[in-house]
Amino acid sequence: TGELGDGTNMDTNTPVPVSGLSGTTAITAGNYHSLFLKNDGTVWATGYNGEGQLGDGTYEDKNTPVQVSGLSGITAITVRASHSLFLKSDGTVWATGYNEFGQLGDGTYENKNTPVQVSGLSDFTSIAAGANHSLFLMNDGTLWATGFNNFGQLGDGTYELKNTPVQVS
């Protein structure tokens, strides 16, 4: 599906160069997509895009990196299965992709193909993505979570889905 970003959709058992990227400072990979953070604070993505996890405004797979729409000043990236999270230098978090369980934290359960801001909070310092949930560490040391919660993984004392962040107890 193009997650290697080399312009093909072929598997390979040897390393291949990613097309057209330089100045990359961080990388992360989901099930079938990859993200690249460049030193200018932009994010580039390649691979499967059926849920919009590349954040380029389409649902079309890409086999070379495309810029994630509308983001700059990004300091950290993370992905899991089919959603992507982005931490900006201003402490806000943005998300795109699969959202059936509210893991994007924007107050909806609808997939997004461009980044949306995680609702209600800022001053984040770290982000992490689980299979269908997301975690956010704030500057004050509190931990917040959103998304799938059938096993209590949000740590809020319930087993209910959340589509906006709740504080971990």
Side-chain angles (χ1 to χ4, degrees), residues 18 34 45 54 60-61 65 76 86 131 155 165:
V18 176
S34 304
L54 301 187
E60 298 170 10
D61 300 348
F86 316 96

Side-chain angles (χ1 to χ4, degrees), residues 73-76 85-95 103-106 116-128 134-146 164-168:
I74 301 301
T75 60
L85 300 175
F86 316 96
L87 176 64
K88 288 186 74 166
S89 57
D90 65 4
T92 60
V93 175
W94 297 73
Q103 59 266 46
L104 300 186
D106 71 332
V116 292
Q117 188 173 349
V118 172
S119 296
L121 300 169
S122 59
D123 275 344
F124 293 110
T125 60
S126 186
I127 54 177
S134 303
L135 300 169
F136 316 101
L137 180 64
M138 288 188 70
N139 193 34
D140 65 5
T142 59
L143 184 62
W144 296 74
T146 189
T164 58
V166 293
Q167 188 170 352
V168 175

Side-chain angles (χ1 to χ4, degrees), residues 9-161:
N9 293 337
M10 298 178 60
D11 294 340
T12 181
N13 61 4
T14 59
V16 294
V18 176
S19 298
L21 283 184
S22 61
T24 302
T25 60
I27 57 174
T28 187
N31 281 359
Y32 300 104
H33 74 292
S34 304
L35 295 181
F36 309 91
L37 175 61
K38 291 181 64 172
N39 57 10
D40 64 1
T42 62
V43 180
W44 296 73
T46 190
Y48 178 70
N49 196 29
E51 281 76 48
Q53 58 266 51
L54 301 187
D56 70 334
T58 76
Y59 292 99
E60 298 170 10
D61 300 348
K62 304 294 188 303
N63 62 17
T64 58
V66 293
Q67 188 171 355
V68 176
S69 298
L71 290 183
S72 61
I74 301 301
T75 60
I77 56 177
T78 188
V79 301
R80 185 61 180 184
S82 296
H83 73 290
S84 306
L85 300 175
F86 316 96
L87 176 64
K88 288 186 74 166
S89 57
D90 65 4
T92 60
V93 175
W94 297 73
T96 192
Y98 188 61
N99 196 31
E100 180 178 351
F101 304 106
Q103 59 266 46
L104 300 186
D106 71 332
T108 76
Y109 294 102
E110 299 169 3
N111 295 351
K112 302 295 187 305
N113 64 10
T114 57
V116 292
Q117 188 173 349
V118 172
S119 296
L121 300 169
S122 59
D123 275 344
F124 293 110
T125 60
S126 186
I127 54 177
N132 290 304
H133 68 290
S134 303
L135 300 169
F136 316 101
L137 180 64
M138 288 188 70
N139 193 34
D140 65 5
T142 59
L143 184 62
W144 296 74
T146 189
F148 192 72
N149 197 28
N150 284 13
F151 305 106
Q153 58 267 55
L154 300 187
D156 69 339
T158 75
Y159 295 99
E160 300 169 8
L161 300 178

